[in-house]
């Protein structure tokens, strides 16, 4: 799995955001020149709690 | 006779703000009694049921579906409304237009595209927030969780995980942060400086950072930790991490900690950490009794005194205003910001008033049935915000209680907050004063939490309020004191 | 919990590796009865997961009657239908016997089958020869013209093709498909480049072994006039590539996707031969003049094996022309479909790259977990058949694998992994 090689320091590492949820947050950040990528998210397994639970246990 | 229509879009998701905007557009249109578009979670279905908007189809919807609900004067009107909504929602479903941009669907997909990502900002519905946070943490991202309605044991688990990876989870229910000069969530444009804030409360961070700004002091960083971080169950994990971060930050000289009173064990963990620190601290646990602090820390009872202390200013003695000697009428506070409501309660209590609230601080009482009660309402509390936008986003939520208060002969003074800045309403002062035209009302005491660099402009918001006859104070604490003065016999 | 995640990741890495390291070579044409044990009297292999006569759609029944007559198990279509409805004919999925077939996918003892050998693992897969367009058995056609064509394919085309392939020592399909991708093919709805490249490679060998020029001319003409000739080759290649990936314990990678016009079935590596089925969906697409949605047959065929190996709808970015053809939107957005598929796959195939997407490898190895997590179902570019047997293709569109298949698969997979 691709992951950050260096642990980002909250107050030091230049901010680069992935936004999951309300799109307005993404717009706010972009207007402050923070590199932001907005995700077109939808609830896993269409919101089914049993399948969602299985998924999280199966390393998805 | 009205006609109720429910249509369910299966396996559909859209962000809750977008859905609200869509339903708000037609609310209040002729022929529409009530309308809502909501994701089919059990909580939302209950809200629809309570609003008499839930029919058989809507009842069968699940959390992965969207319910379109409308109660109209007749079937034709209802059908038209639903059709209009459906075409809006389905715009995306028809093939991809030539201007469409690629949008990743998962954190994994996003990370492929932006591998220098340092942080994930999560505002999906509560039941899904922790799973997303976990995906972010395993990819070495710091996390801000705006979502609420997260189980507290999950909050604990995800914060443990963050700690083990040297990362921080800000939240859940974290609405405000200022990191490296960038505003996250509801925040104000304040200057850069040497004071750091660790806040379990959004409006607490906002009021303190703005008061400091008025005094010419700036913020290094404001780290939100979520409303429950300092409870026994969560153990203050994010707060402790935040203090560590500010400890190591060369820009930060002084740290203000803002929260409701922590649990006893958590409190002593925090105080020990403060004791070992090389920085100086202002500890503002609103409603907490007197604490035994190390020499590098001082306690502040209110947000205002926290700001004054941190700026090394003189603190107005509490007794600058006479104590309660028997007021004839009552004070009614209608607040969008929960912590501002808490501060108002503390000031009233300190002046010898008995206060009731829907979110009582230690020393205040829950709202009772008696008439002459000084009451402070937090309109952002859960019972007011189920399925509706927070009053900071949609101040009109305050309108009905406000008009009622203006009409209430027992009310001698009304207390209000106006919070501006990133994410807030475009003109909250304008909205408030539009309710006042040609209206008889008791004196209204109000403060504006914000700065002139905010898009709404603090000065212009204050002028608007003054022009409508409101009494504008320099801080929320000051507004409370002025309200007290006004109802005491001379 | 992290332990299970690691086990699954490792198994998936292995499964994807098997898929990507296959070397499919088109080596021969053989008679079905000669290579498939169990193709005895009165057994008909069909596309899709198992299905009974009374659940079959119109085109499937038409094809079954036609092939029964071709095999001389019945003297006419009516008799054939009686045999079928009485239970005197046996039906089984192509997949179960190492075969695949497009649309109705009829495979029986006397059919000539193209052979693709996976020379990295030694396994072989089979498919019938593509009959062409219009009134053909794969769309349920079963009259004299259909049966005569099948005879001709068996008696003239197949032997010549087989000899040519043996003479050429087989045609390496991996590089041929790679070239096709750079020429606008996606190997499901668009095969014209690969069909041309194949003919180009075979032509000298066919000319060398042909007994006379008339036969040669007929065979050339048949192949050259069929833009979709390569589809069946691509399908056999898909089967040859996926078969060695079956049964890798812990792998959530899809090894087959297939439809019979009634049900859609998928198979997952860890659970081996098990089918996870749900009712097929209707393709969404564009119709040829004179036809509309009301004429359409539900989704059908083993051809979704092509998407299972990263081609077809997954490679839409290589075939912008297909986007309009299947009603997927603007040609300039074809790449977004490929990017979407990358959200649900384990990796990319660097042997098969898409120039217009900066040589992105086609997204390969569908992960059932990711399908459910993202609510993105595999996108299949498919032809749409007329619901009446024997009329032919009436349009093309995009079909989606039903979510229910993946839901069932996940539950079974979780149970197998001991996760509740």
């Amino acid at each position: 799995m691709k992951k950050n090689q260096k642990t980002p320091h909250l107050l030091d590492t230049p901010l680069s955001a992935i936004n999951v949820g309300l799109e307005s947050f993404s717009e706010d950040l972009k207007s402050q020149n923070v590199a932001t990528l907005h995700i077109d998210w939808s609830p896993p397994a269409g919101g089914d709690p049993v399948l969602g639970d299985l998924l999280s246990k199966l390393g998805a | 006779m009205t006609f109720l229509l429910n249509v369910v879009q299966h396996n559909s998701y859209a962000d809750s703000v977008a859905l609200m905007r869509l339903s708000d557009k037609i609310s209040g249109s002729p022929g529409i009694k009530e309308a809502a578009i909501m994701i089919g979670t059990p909580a939302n279905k209950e809200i629809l049921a309570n609003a008499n908007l839930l029919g058989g189809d809507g009842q069968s919807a699940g959390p992965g579906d969207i319910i379109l609900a409308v109660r109209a004067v007749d079937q034709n009107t209802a059908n038209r409304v639903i059709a209009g909504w459906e075409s809006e929602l389905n715009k995306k479903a028809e093939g991809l237009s030539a201007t469409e941009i690629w949008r990743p669907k998962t954190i994994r997909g996003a990370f492929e595209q932006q591998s220098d990502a340092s942080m994930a900002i999560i505002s999906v519905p509560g039941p899904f927030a922790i799973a997303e946070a976990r995906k972010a943490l395993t990819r070495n991202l710091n996390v801000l969780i705006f979502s609420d309605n997260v189980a507290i044991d999950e909050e604990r688990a995800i914060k443990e995980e963050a700690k083990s990876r040297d990362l921080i989870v800000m939240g859940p229910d974290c609405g405000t942060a200022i990191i490296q000069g960038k505003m996250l969530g509801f925040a104000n444009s304040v200057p850069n400086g040497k004071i750091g804030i660790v806040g379990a409360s959004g409006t607490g961070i906002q009021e303190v950072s703005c008061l400091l700004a008025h005094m010419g002091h700036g913020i290094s960083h404001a780290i939100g930790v979520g409303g429950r971080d300092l409870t026994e169950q969560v153990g203050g994990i994010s707060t402790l991490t935040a203090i560590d971060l500010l400890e190591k930050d060369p820009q930060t000289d002084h740290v203000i900690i803002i929260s409701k009173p922590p649990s006893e064990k958590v409190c002593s963990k925090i105080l020990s950490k403060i004791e070992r620190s090389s920085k100086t601290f202002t500890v503002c646990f609103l409603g907490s009794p007197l604490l035994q602090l190390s020499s590098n820390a001082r306690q502040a009872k209110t947000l205002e005194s926290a700001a004054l202390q941190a700026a090394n200013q003189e603190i107005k003695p509490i007794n600058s205003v006479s104590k309660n000697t028997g007021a004839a009428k009552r004070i009614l506070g209608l607040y969008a910001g929960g912590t501002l409501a808490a501060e108002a309660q503390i000031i009233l209590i300190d002046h010898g008033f008995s206060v009731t609230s829907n979110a009582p601080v230690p020393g205040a009482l829950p709202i009772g049935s008696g008439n002459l009660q000084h009451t402070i309402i937090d309109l952002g509390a859960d019972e007011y915000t189920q399925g509706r936008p927070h009053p900071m986003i949609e101040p009109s939520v305050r309108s009905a209680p406000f008009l009622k208060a203006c009409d209430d002969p027992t009310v001698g003074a009304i207390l209000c907050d106006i919070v501006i800045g990133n994410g807030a309403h475009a003109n909250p002062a304008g909205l408030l004063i539009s309710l006042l035209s040609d209206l008889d009302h008791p004196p209204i005491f109000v403060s504006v939490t914000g700065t002139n660099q905010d898009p709404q402009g603090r000065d212009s918001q204050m002028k608007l309020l003054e022009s409508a006859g409101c009494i504008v104070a320099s801080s929320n604490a000051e507004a409370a004191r002025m309200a007290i003065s006004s109802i005491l016999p001379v | 919990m992290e332990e299970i995640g690691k086990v699954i990741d490792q198994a998936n890495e292995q499964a994807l590796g098997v898929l990507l390291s296959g070397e499919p070579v088109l080596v021969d044409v053989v008679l079905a009865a000669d290579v498939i044990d169990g193709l005895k009297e009165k057994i008909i292999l069909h596309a899709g997961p198992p299905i009974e006569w009374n659940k079959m759609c119109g085109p499937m029944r038409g094809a079954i009657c036609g092939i029964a007559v071709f095999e001389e198990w019945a003297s006419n279509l009516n008799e054939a239908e009686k045999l079928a409805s009485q239970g005197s004919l046996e039906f089984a999925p192509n997949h179960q016997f190492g075969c695949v077939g497009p649309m109705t996918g009829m495979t029986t003892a006397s059919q000539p089958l193209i052979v693709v050998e996976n020379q990295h693992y030694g396994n072989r897969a089979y498919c019938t020869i593509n009959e062409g367009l219009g009134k053909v058995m794969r769309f349920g056609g079963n009259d004299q013209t259909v049966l005569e064509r099948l005879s001709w394919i068996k008696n003239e085309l197949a032997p010549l093709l087989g000899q040519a392939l043996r003479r050429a020592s087989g045609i390496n399909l991996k590089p041929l498909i790679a070239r096709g991708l750079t020429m606008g093919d996606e190997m499901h709805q668009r095969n014209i480049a690969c069909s041309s490249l194949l003919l180009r490679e075979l032509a000298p060998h066919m000319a060398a072994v042909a007994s006379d020029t008339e036969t040669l001319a007929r065979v050339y003409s048949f192949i050259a006039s069929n833009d979709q000739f390569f589809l069946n080759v691509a399908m056999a290649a898909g089967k040859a590539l996926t078969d060695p990936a079956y049964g890798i314990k812990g792998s959530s990678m899809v090894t087959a996707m297939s439809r019979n016009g009634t049900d859609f079935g998928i198979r997952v590596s860890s659970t081996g031969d098990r089918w996870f089925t749900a009712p097929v969906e209707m393709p969404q697409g564009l119709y040829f003049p004179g036809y509309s949605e009301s004429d359409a047959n539900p989704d059908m065929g083993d051809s979704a094996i092509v998407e299972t190996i990263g081609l077809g709808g997954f490679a839409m970015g290589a075939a912008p022309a297909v986007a309009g053809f299947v009603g997927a939107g603007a040609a300039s957005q074809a790449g977004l479909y490929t990017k979407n598929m990358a959200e649900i796959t384990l990796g990319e195939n660097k042997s098969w790259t898409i120039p217009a997407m900066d040589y992105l490898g086609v997204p390969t190895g569908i992960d059932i977990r990711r399908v459910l997590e993202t609510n993105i179902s595999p996108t299949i570019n498919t032809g749409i058949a007329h619901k009446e047997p024997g009329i032919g293709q009436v349009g093309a569109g995009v079909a989606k694998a039903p979510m229910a298949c993946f839901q069932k698969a996940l539950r079974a997979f979780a149970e197998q992994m001991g996760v509740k």
Side-chain angles (χ1 to χ4, degrees):
Chain A
M1 172 183 65
K2 218 168 165 194
K3 59 152 81 167
N4 241 333
Q5 290 321 302
K6 276 181 74 183
T7 307
H9 191 284
L10 182 71
L11 307 181
D12 213 9
T13 307
L15 286 185
S16 167
I18 292 176
N19 188 51
V20 194
L22 301 177
E23 201 166 347
S24 51
F25 285 157
S26 179
E27 284 151 15
D28 278 345
L29 286 168
K30 283 184 189 161
S31 67
Q32 296 178 78
N33 290 325
V34 176
T36 309
L37 191 51
H38 179 72
I39 291 178
D40 203 3
W41 183 86
S42 59
D48 181 321
V50 173
L51 285 174
D53 187 53
L54 283 180
L55 279 174
S56 69
K57 289 173 178 161
L58 289 167
Chain B
M1 272 308 290
T2 55
F3 188 84
L4 171 68
L5 184 57
N6 277 184
V7 169
V8 177
Q9 287 210 333
H10 293 286
N11 294 319
S12 261
Y13 172 79
D15 98 36
S16 52
V17 173
L19 292 181
M20 253 176 239
R21 289 209 180 109
L22 201 52
S23 67
D24 279 354
K25 258 198 258 177
I26 71 117
S27 283
S29 299
I32 312 294
K33 294 289 165 196
E34 199 73 60
I37 310 180
M38 304 189 93
I39 296 167
T41 58
N44 284 348
K45 286 200 285 191
E46 205 180 309
I47 293 162
L48 287 174
N50 289 337
N52 264 324
L53 273 177
L54 191 67
D57 287 333
Q59 184 56 50
S60 65
D65 305 326
I66 296 179
I67 306 173
L68 314 180
V70 63
R71 188 177 280 283
V73 288
D74 58 43
Q75 184 165 3
N76 277 335
T77 310
N79 283 336
R80 253 190 300 114
V81 168
I82 299 279
W85 282 341
E86 278 178 327
S87 85
E88 275 296 319
L89 288 169
N90 292 338
K91 266 184 187 150
K92 267 203 166 169
E94 291 148 33
L96 295 170
S97 73
T99 49
E100 207 136 333
I101 311 164
W102 165 249
R103 287 227 175 145
K105 307 291 184 291
T106 58
I107 288 180
R108 171 188 164 246
F111 203 74
E112 297 280 321
Q113 205 174 317
Q114 192 160 309
S115 51
D116 67 347
S118 64
M119 177 189 267
I121 299 182
I122 297 172
S123 56
V124 298
F128 304 106
I130 295 297
E132 295 304 312
R134 187 161 286 123
K135 288 172 204 166
L137 289 175
T138 52
R139 283 172 176 83
N140 257 345
L141 301 175
N142 282 305
V143 176
L144 185 149
I145 304 178
F146 179 79
S147 324
D148 58 12
N149 275 314
V150 171
I152 196 165
D153 57 339
E154 291 208 280
E155 175 172 348
R156 169 84 192 211
I158 199 80
K159 285 179 171 175
E160 301 267 22
E161 219 176 302
K163 184 169 162 188
S164 72
R165 292 172 188 274
D166 267 336
L167 297 166
I168 189 172
V169 170
M170 295 185 281
D173 201 16
C174 171
T176 304
I178 304 174
I179 304 293
Q180 300 181 34
K182 306 293 180 185
M183 298 176 279
L184 303 176
F186 301 102
N188 302 92
S189 184
V190 295
N192 227 332
K194 301 196 146 297
I195 300 175
I197 303 178
V198 179
S201 134
T203 37
I205 295 176
Q206 289 188 267
E207 176 78 349
V208 170
S209 61
C210 289
L211 291 179
L212 284 168
H214 303 324
M215 292 185 274
H217 286 263
I219 301 295
S220 53
H221 309 275
I223 304 174
V225 296
R228 298 181 305 202
D229 192 63
L230 290 131
T231 56
E232 181 70 24
Q233 203 168 345
V234 181
I237 297 175
S238 292
T239 303
L240 294 165
T241 305
I243 295 174
D244 279 338
L245 286 169
L246 290 169
E247 171 75 32
K248 296 191 194 106
D249 177 42
Q251 240 214 301
T252 303
D253 281 348
H254 183 84
V255 179
I256 306 174
I257 306 186
I258 307 167
S259 170
K260 292 187 305 216
S263 84
E264 210 183 302
K265 271 202 212 122
V266 174
C267 192
S268 55
K269 265 199 267 184
I270 308 254
L271 296 188
S272 304
K273 188 170 270 286
I274 289 177
E275 193 177 7
R276 297 191 300 271
S277 167
S278 61
K279 318 258 169 156
T280 54
F281 286 77
T282 297
V283 178
C284 180
F285 293 153
L286 290 151
S288 166
L290 211 56
L291 298 166
Q292 192 81 298
L293 297 175
S294 46
S295 56
N296 61 333
R298 275 189 300 174
Q299 190 170 0
K301 288 190 90 172
T302 62
L303 301 170
E304 180 196 45
S305 56
L308 287 168
Q309 259 173 221
N312 274 323
Q313 304 274 5
E314 271 299 311
I315 300 186
K316 282 192 172 63
I318 300 259
N319 296 325
S320 65
V321 173
S322 358
K323 293 243 172 183
N324 184 14
T325 49
K329 296 201 176 192
R330 65 195 187 104
I331 292 172
L332 179 59
L334 294 169
Y335 277 90
T339 314
L340 298 173
E343 186 180 41
Q345 290 178 59
I346 286 164
I347 289 176
L348 283 169
I349 290 167
D350 268 352
H351 285 80
F353 289 84
S354 171
V355 184
T356 64
S357 172
N358 64 323
V361 299
L365 298 165
I367 296 182
S369 51
N371 234 344
L372 199 69
Q373 311 235 326
H374 304 284
T375 305
I376 305 291
I377 309 273
D378 172 11
L379 291 164
D382 278 351
E383 65 264 33
Y384 289 96
T385 58
Q386 288 268 23
R388 306 174 77 186
H390 194 279
M392 278 188 34
I393 310 177
E394 192 39 78
S396 63
V397 167
R398 181 155 50 186
S399 304
F402 189 81
L403 289 171
K404 199 163 153 216
C406 289
D407 209 26
D408 184 338
T410 69
V411 172
I414 296 178
L415 254 181
C416 254
D417 58 341
I418 295 288
V419 181
I420 58 173
N422 217 25
H425 191 269
N427 187 5
L431 197 82
L432 189 71
I433 66 171
S434 70
L435 300 172
L436 297 175
S437 45
D438 290 334
L439 193 72
D440 263 332
H441 59 82
I444 299 167
F445 297 89
V446 62
S447 69
V448 178
T449 302
T451 66
N452 281 331
Q453 283 66 44
D454 288 329
Q456 302 89 340
R458 183 172 184 252
D459 281 350
S460 78
Q461 291 283 288
M462 288 170 80
K463 284 204 183 80
L464 265 176
L465 293 161
E466 279 161 353
S467 72
C470 299
I471 298 142
V472 183
S474 56
S475 70
N476 180 54
E478 181 71 11
R481 286 190 294 269
M482 289 169 89
I484 289 170
S485 281
S486 82
I487 60 159
L488 288 176
V490 185
Chain C
M1 239 28 100
E2 264 207 53
E3 276 316 302
I4 300 228
K6 280 204 187 93
V7 166
I8 296 175
D9 281 346
Q10 273 166 3
N12 279 337
E13 209 181 304
Q14 186 187 342
L16 181 66
V18 166
L19 200 61
L20 295 178
S21 60
E23 292 294 343
V25 182
L26 180 62
V27 293
D28 204 352
V29 181
V30 298
L31 197 62
D34 289 345
V35 291
I36 302 177
D37 296 331
L39 267 197
K40 53 191 197 300
E41 179 83 1
K42 301 214 184 106
I43 182 170
I44 299 175
L45 307 184
H46 60 79
I51 184 167
E52 290 161 4
W53 171 256
N54 56 7
K55 294 253 171 68
M56 290 182 187
C57 63
M60 185 74 84
R61 289 191 183 191
I64 288 195
C65 295
I67 204 70
V69 172
F70 182 82
E71 292 285 347
E72 292 172 5
W73 300 328
S75 49
N76 60 56
L77 295 172
N78 280 331
E79 230 183 79
E81 187 168 350
K82 272 203 202 88
L83 279 181
S85 53
Q86 279 164 4
S88 310
L89 297 175
E90 205 181 316
F91 307 118
N94 276 315
H95 266 288
Q96 231 147 280
F97 288 81
C99 296
V100 281
M103 286 290 165
T104 56
M106 299 287 100
T107 308
T108 49
S110 315
Q111 297 297 303
L113 304 178
I114 56 177
V115 184
V116 173
E117 184 176 272
N118 185 338
Q119 293 188 344
H120 195 264
Y121 294 96
N123 60 299
R124 289 184 161 205
Y126 310 96
C127 186
T128 48
I129 295 172
N130 195 290
E131 304 158 86
L133 311 166
K135 193 190 278 191
V136 291
M137 184 165 282
R138 83 170 172 282
F139 290 113
N142 55 17
D143 66 13
Q144 268 310 105
T145 61
V146 175
L147 302 189
E148 271 160 17
R149 188 184 303 111
L150 285 181
S151 289
W152 178 81
I153 289 175
K154 173 180 172 175
N155 297 327
E156 242 185 33
L157 172 58
L160 183 55
L161 190 53
Q163 280 176 282
L165 283 169
R166 292 189 294 271
R167 184 176 192 274
S169 303
I171 310 260
N172 204 334
L173 297 176
K174 210 161 183 172
L176 192 151
I177 289 173
R179 288 186 87 183
L181 280 171
T182 68
M183 294 165 70
D185 274 4
E186 36 75 291
M187 290 80 199
H188 196 152
Q189 273 309 288
R190 194 169 170 99
N191 280 286
I192 186 170
C194 285
S195 300
S196 306
L197 291 170
L198 182 64
L199 182 55
R200 192 170 172 241
E201 278 201 49
L202 282 172
H205 298 288
M206 287 201 279
V209 301
S211 49
D212 61 274
T213 50
E214 280 89 20
T215 306
L216 184 61
R218 280 191 292 271
V219 170
Y220 275 171
S221 171
F222 180 83
I223 297 176
S225 63
N226 184 358
D227 284 355
Q228 284 287 72
F229 187 79
F230 191 79
L231 174 63
N232 296 36
V233 179
M235 287 174 62
K239 179 72 174 157
L241 288 172
T242 49
D243 271 357
Y246 277 55
I248 296 173
K249 180 100 192 288
S251 169
S252 53
M253 188 180 84
V254 172
T255 47
M257 293 195 291
S258 187
R259 329 74 110 205
N260 57 31
T262 306
D263 291 320
F264 196 114
I266 68 169
R267 285 170 152 182
V268 179
S269 177
S270 192
T271 47
D273 284 345
R274 252 177 100 170
W275 286 105
F276 302 102
T277 62
V280 282
E281 297 182 1
M282 288 300 285
Q284 296 298 315
L286 297 175
Y287 289 87
F288 303 158
Y291 297 106
S292 74
E293 232 181 282
S294 54
D295 302 311
N297 196 64
D299 200 24
M300 186 166 58
D302 289 323
S303 55
I305 194 72
V306 152
E307 275 77 11
T308 311
I309 58 168
L311 303 172
F314 284 53
M316 189 108 76
V322 168
F325 185 57
V326 298
S332 55
Q333 304 303 90
L336 299 193
Y337 283 88
T338 293
K339 283 192 160 176
N340 249 352
M341 294 301 102
E343 292 274 15
I344 60 171
T345 46
L346 292 165
E348 58 178 299
N349 187 342
K350 292 312 264 176
S351 302
W352 289 339
T353 57
I354 302 175
M357 297 181 72
D358 292 328
Y359 295 95
L360 179 73
V362 296
T364 311
I366 301 162
D367 184 343
I368 59 172
R369 301 171 304 165
R370 296 211 178 119
V371 168
L372 289 168
E373 190 198 341
T374 60
N375 302 296
I376 295 172
S377 189
T379 300
I380 300 162
N381 283 353
T382 185
I384 304 176
H386 198 287
K387 64 188 181 197
E388 297 303 320
I391 296 184
Q393 186 168 351
V394 295
V398 167
K400 297 200 155 258
M403 268 304 160
C405 294
F406 298 92
Q407 290 164 357
K408 289 182 185 174
L410 190 83
R411 289 193 196 104
F413 178 66
E415 199 184 316
Q416 191 190 37
M417 300 303 290
V419 170
K420 290 204 216 325

